[in-house]
Amino acid sequence: QVQLVESGGGLVQAGGSLRLSCVASGSIFSINVMGWYRQAPGQHRELVATITSGSTTNYAGSVKGRFTISRDNAKKTVYLQMNSLKPEDTAVYYCTMTIRDSYSYAANNYWGQGTQVTVSS
């Protein structure tokens, strides 16, 4: 059973930084795209950043230049370094990975449990 576990959320002041981590475990053959989404109460989940297996990155315009996504394939981990945080960054952040199962070979998308990021003004 594949599981993603997130950590690193918390409360910071505007202008501060946080680093989110997401570790995958289970029967994993390979991991393709890794990414981060976020969702504020009453809002749709929105894309924050993605990173391919070849380390090509993509960012939402609202975070470009402030956030950095990276991955450690040996640790099956995706990170999101968040700098110059703003109150509008406040949301629950979810990691996601496209994973090929060791048994089925089918690619499935998995989600972490979410971690709260709160930026105070």
Side-chain angles (χ1 to χ4, degrees):
Q1 179 155 349
V2 174
Q3 187 174 18
L4 307 186
V5 179
E6 302 180 30
S7 62
L11 173 65
V12 296
Q13 294 182 344
S17 298
L18 282 174
R19 191 193 194 205
L20 307 183
S21 300
C22 176
V23 182
S25 62
S27 300
I28 299 170
F29 181 80
S30 63
I31 304 175
N32 196 330
V33 179
M34 298 180 175
W36 291 92
Y37 285 70
R38 67 186 182 186
Q39 186 172 25
Q43 303 294 317
H44 293 289
R45 192 170 298 184
E46 65 174 348
L47 176 69
V48 176
T50 60
I51 182 167
T52 68
S53 59
S55 295
T56 298
T57 58
N58 184 55
Y59 298 92
S62 59
V63 307
K64 200 168 188 178
R66 299 187 297 121
F67 292 9
T68 302
I69 187 171
S70 61
R71 62 192 286 166
D72 186 328
N73 292 324
K75 295 181 178 180
K76 300 177 183 177
T77 301
V78 61
Y79 305 95
L80 185 67
Q81 178 67 46
M82 304 184 293
N83 298 325
S84 302
L85 283 162
K86 304 174 181 179
E88 49 262 46
D89 295 318
T90 296
V92 177
Y93 284 70
Y94 298 89
C95 63
T96 184
M97 300 185 189
T98 302
I99 296 173
R100 181 183 289 179
D101 187 89
S102 295
Y103 302 108
S104 70
Y105 283 101
N108 296 304
N109 201 56
Y110 295 88
W111 293 89
Q113 81 281 5
T115 184
Q116 177 70 47
V117 171
T118 303
V119 184
S120 64
S121 59

